Amino acid sequence: MAISVKVHEAFFSGHFVLNDNLDERTMLHHLGKNDPEGVILDEVDGNVKGAFCVFLGQRLYECKQLTKVKLGVNFTQEFTNRFDRIARLYQGDDQPWDFKLLEYMTFPTVKIEEAEVAA
């Protein structure tokens, strides 16, 4: 059964759905390999699925930052190209996947609108 995880970090926010084919042992393997001090796992009080989603969010953030520098780069495609060996991002029902990205936002977000001011 898939599990839904929402992450709110200082630089990003995301809503992930983890496929049940991705087990905790695999998640711990990638966390240990990429965060050997266990900082991410400590930040979420040992919740492996939460830590793994934070880790995925950080990798997605790297890809999102790259899109600011290289125009025409799709950040989810960039994630697939760079991190597919860690977790496969959902790209359609006909392909195997490890997680779906329901929502993802990087911070800070700035929206400027012109406003009419009554005199």
Side-chain angles (χ1 to χ4, degrees), residues 59-77:
R59 303 295 77 80
L60 285 161
Y61 183 80
E62 290 174 25
C63 296
K64 191 71 168 171
Q65 294 306 100
L66 184 62
T67 65
K68 292 180 180 180
V69 178
K70 290 184 175 180
L71 297 177
V73 173
N74 178 301
F75 93 104
T76 56
Q77 186 60 44

Side-chain angles (χ1 to χ4, degrees), residues 8-19:
H8 303 286
E9 285 284 301
F11 297 103
F12 70 88
S13 178
H15 186 178
F16 302 83
V17 174
L18 297 176
N19 195 343

Side-chain angles (χ1 to χ4, degrees), residues 17-33:
V17 174
L18 297 176
N19 195 343
D20 58 357
N21 67 322
L22 187 63
D23 61 15
E24 285 194 6
R25 192 176 104 193
T26 302
M27 291 182 219
L28 282 169
H29 167 75
H30 289 297
L31 286 168
K33 189 173 180 180

Side-chain angles (χ1 to χ4, degrees), residues 5 19 32 85 95 104:
V5 179
N19 195 343
R85 69 193 179 285
Q95 298 177 4
Y104 190 80

Side-chain angles (χ1 to χ4, degrees), residues 7 10 16 20 30 33-34 54 63 66 78 82 102 114:
V7 174
F16 302 83
D20 58 357
H30 289 297
K33 189 173 180 180
N34 294 281
V54 169
C63 296
L66 184 62
E78 185 65 24
R82 294 174 70 190
L102 298 183
E114 205 170 302

Side-chain angles (χ1 to χ4, degrees), residues 22 26 30 34 52 55-56 83-88 98:
L22 187 63
T26 302
H30 289 297
N34 294 281
F52 192 69
F55 171 72
L56 291 175
F83 303 109
D84 195 49
R85 69 193 179 285
I86 294 171
R88 296 166 298 182
D98 297 315

